[in-house]
């Protein structure tokens, strides 16, 4: 039996926005950012592992990332993983360290990245609207089963709509900020 839970709806909408912020953090803006390598996975010890579990990533300079691989035998796997992630970076190996110079972004690439930020934002907004729809359906079911009155349902629907508006605005703001950052670097 479905029961309306405002806290759960808010938690799910917030999760969509946090996921968006995480995705946006992975978009390259021309500056070295260690979160850029978060999506990288490497095949080591016969399993796929996130880069963070086999190496330390740092940014010694504004336009350079340094990946210190813990086990020398994993250096080539880390290099392959970075190349496969298709981030537009050329790994240069120096012993157990893999250096990643940040190339300048072309105007065309900046526009592509800004467009991608917009797509991430749209996906987050779709997720938020899906949570809204679930909440509205739950409210209608609660009213039908006589758990709440029509007035309560309408009041709760207004709350759900306010949450939806709030989190959609947050998603738009995060994407606009990232697009601005990409286009003005």
């Amino acid at each position: 039996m479905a029961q309306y839970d405002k806290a759960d709806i808010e938690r799910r909408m917030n999760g969509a926005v946090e996921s968006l912020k995480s995705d946006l953090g992975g978009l390259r803006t021309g500056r070295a950012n260690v979160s850029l390598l978060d999506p990288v996975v490497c095949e080591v010890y016969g399993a796929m592992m996130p880069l963070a579990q086999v190496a330390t990533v740092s940014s010694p300079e504004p336009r350079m990332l340094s990946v210190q691989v813990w086990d020398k035998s994993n250096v080539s796997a880390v290099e392959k993983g970075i190349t496969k992630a298709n981030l537009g970076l050329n790994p240069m190996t120096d012993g157990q360290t893999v250096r990643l110079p940040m190339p300048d972004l072309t105007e065309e690439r900046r526009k592509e990245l800004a467009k991608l930020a917009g797509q991430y934002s749209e996906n987050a907004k779709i997720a938020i609207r899906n949570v809204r729809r679930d909440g509205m359906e739950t409210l209608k079911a609660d009213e039908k089963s006589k758990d709440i009155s029509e007035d309560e349902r309408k009041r709760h629907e207004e709350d759900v709509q306010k949450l939806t508006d709030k989190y959609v605005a947050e998603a738009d703001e995060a994407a606009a900020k990232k697009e601005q950052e990409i286009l003005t670097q």
Side-chain angles (χ1 to χ4, degrees):
M1 170 128 151
Q3 275 286 7
Y4 169 71
D5 182 358
K6 182 178 176 182
D8 180 57
I9 289 172
E10 188 163 12
R11 180 188 56 76
R12 290 168 54 198
M13 287 182 177
N14 188 45
V17 172
E18 291 306 313
S19 175
L20 167 66
K21 288 178 180 173
S22 168
D23 289 345
L24 291 176
L27 287 181
R28 195 156 60 85
T29 59
R31 295 185 64 100
N33 184 344
V34 293
S35 66
L36 182 63
L37 298 180
D38 287 350
V40 175
V41 290
C42 315
E43 189 173 343
V44 291
Y45 311 120
M48 297 305 281
M49 296 177 104
L51 181 64
Q53 292 184 5
V54 294
T56 304
V57 181
S58 62
S59 178
E61 302 168 28
R63 301 187 61 81
M64 171 82 68
L65 284 175
S66 175
V67 180
Q68 184 66 42
V69 184
W70 300 328
D71 184 346
K72 196 170 179 70
S73 64
N74 294 333
V75 173
S76 67
V78 166
E79 216 174 311
K80 260 188 217 153
I82 292 169
T83 307
K84 271 188 188 171
N86 205 12
L87 298 170
L89 301 174
N90 283 334
M92 298 184 309
T93 308
D94 177 20
Q96 279 184 245
T97 304
V98 177
R99 297 193 194 299
L100 301 163
M102 294 284 129
D104 285 330
L105 292 175
T106 62
E107 190 60 36
E108 187 180 317
R109 182 68 179 140
R110 286 180 195 278
K111 287 179 181 165
E112 281 175 29
L113 289 171
K115 200 170 169 183
L116 191 58
Q119 287 173 352
Y120 286 168
S121 169
E122 195 50 47
N123 290 342
K125 290 190 285 190
I126 288 169
I128 291 166
R129 287 191 290 263
N130 286 341
V131 173
R132 175 189 174 276
R133 187 195 62 227
D134 292 348
M136 296 297 195
E137 286 173 2
T138 302
L139 286 169
K140 285 179 182 139
D142 286 352
E143 181 191 4
K144 197 172 184 179
S145 66
K146 305 276 189 250
D147 289 342
I148 61 173
S149 68
E150 184 181 349
D151 289 345
E152 283 180 292
R153 175 184 58 85
K154 286 182 178 174
R155 202 169 40 250
H156 289 315
E157 282 179 350
E158 283 178 21
D159 290 345
V160 171
Q161 187 57 50
K162 283 178 187 166
L163 286 175
T164 304
D165 295 343
K166 172 186 168 194
Y167 285 106
V168 164
E170 273 187 42
D172 283 339
E173 186 183 323
K177 187 175 165 192
K178 187 64 172 190
E179 286 174 19
Q180 189 66 31
E181 193 179 310
I182 290 168
L183 295 172
T184 59
Q185 284 278 309

